[in-house]
Amino acid sequence: MTLTVHTISGTPRGWRALMGLTLKGLDYETHYLESSKREQKSPDFLKINPRGVVPVLDAGGVLVRDSIAILAWLDREYPSKPLFGETPDEAARIWEVSMECCDYLRGAGQHLLYPILVENIDLPAPDSEGMRSLKVASESMHAECHHLEKLLEGQAYLCGNRPSAAEAIAFPEVRLIQRALDRKNDIMAALGFSDFAKRYPCLFDWMQRVGALKGVENTLPYHW
């Protein structure tokens, strides 16, 4: 069965699906849509997902239209290397951390990184409304980074000593912080992220560890 992920390069939700497939060691194909051409709203894609959003997993004609649903489906269809643990307690913990990342880490990333990476803004004036907005967003992101830092103390991954769905969801968000540091270091420095590795050593090491897993490099946005 051919597994094809329809997504847009750089979207964290689509990236989650690619991470899940990679962590399970599955072969897959990626069909990238161009957001600038609004291909996700085209008649052809709306036949696949009437809501016009990504990702969509096409598994030999079975369509799964949500990133978390994709991760859950993969675990049922391919039980080896489970993303949601092997015991009820493991599953509960992984689901808890995963949904926290969906709700809070994703929200923080959206507010902080969208203007920096997508709108490509310049460093706002210190007392401007733009800078005040970024500082509020950065406080939320720092709080989430601190939360992840505490989770990682004494363990290799967010929910224990092997990667899980939590990695599939959190890694794209944290890796985008590094992307923002690479592209807009002046803005990120003004918001307290220039010393990311020193401020969040466990989280930085985790990002490096997950990034070095087999196949993860191939999930990075192709336009980088």
Side-chain angles (χ1 to χ4, degrees):
M1 175 169 57
T2 301
L3 300 173
T4 302
V5 177
H6 301 270
T7 188
I8 294 169
S9 179
T11 58
R13 290 180 176 86
W15 199 344
R16 294 172 187 171
L18 304 183
M19 285 291 298
L21 287 155
T22 298
L23 293 177
K24 292 186 79 69
L26 299 171
D27 293 327
Y28 62 90
E29 298 177 355
T30 308
H31 174 220
Y32 285 110
L33 303 168
E34 291 192 39
S35 180
S36 62
K37 297 180 180 178
R38 293 183 59 79
E39 289 183 342
Q40 73 274 25
K41 304 298 183 181
S42 69
D44 285 344
F45 187 72
L46 290 176
K47 293 176 183 177
I48 297 174
N49 187 358
R51 293 190 180 275
V53 295
V54 297
V56 175
L57 173 67
D58 185 342
V62 175
L63 299 176
V64 189
R65 301 184 178 93
D66 175 85
S67 62
I68 306 303
I70 289 169
L71 298 180
W73 183 90
L74 289 172
D75 250 14
R76 291 297 186 95
E77 185 69 16
Y78 302 96
S80 180
K81 298 181 180 179
L83 296 172
F84 291 98
E86 296 178 338
T87 68
D89 287 353
E90 287 178 346
R93 181 59 178 156
I94 293 168
W95 274 106
E96 176 185 289
V97 174
S98 294
M99 298 316 294
E100 282 185 345
C101 289
C102 286
D103 292 340
Y104 303 109
L105 182 61
R106 173 83 285 264
Q110 181 82 8
H111 289 109
L112 174 64
L113 300 177
Y114 187 87
I116 296 172
L117 293 176
V118 180
E119 295 178 345
N120 197 32
I121 63 170
D122 293 323
L123 177 65
D127 295 325
S128 67
E129 181 61 32
M131 179 55 80
R132 283 192 290 271
S133 178
L134 284 177
K135 285 184 176 179
V136 170
S138 72
E139 289 171 3
S140 295
M141 180 58 84
H142 278 299
E144 294 309 310
C145 288
H146 180 73
H147 178 68
L148 296 180
E149 179 76 11
K150 298 296 289 184
L151 289 180
L152 287 164
E153 289 179 355
Q155 58 186 30
Y157 298 101
L158 291 171
C159 296
N161 292 314
R162 61 184 179 188
S164 71
E167 270 66 43
I169 296 165
F171 177 77
E173 308 292 347
V174 178
R175 185 60 182 80
L176 284 171
I177 297 173
Q178 183 62 57
R179 175 66 172 171
L181 278 163
D182 293 340
R183 287 195 57 205
K184 296 283 186 173
N185 187 266
D186 56 344
I187 299 178
M188 296 299 282
L191 299 173
F193 287 95
S194 59
D195 58 347
F196 186 84
K198 185 178 296 185
R199 189 167 186 172
Y200 305 110
C202 295
L203 185 56
F204 180 80
D205 288 347
W206 168 87
M207 180 177 65
Q208 302 296 109
R209 186 179 304 114
V210 175
L213 293 173
K214 183 178 180 182
V216 168
E217 184 176 359
N218 296 328
T219 72
L220 269 62
Y222 72 81
H223 67 275
W224 287 8

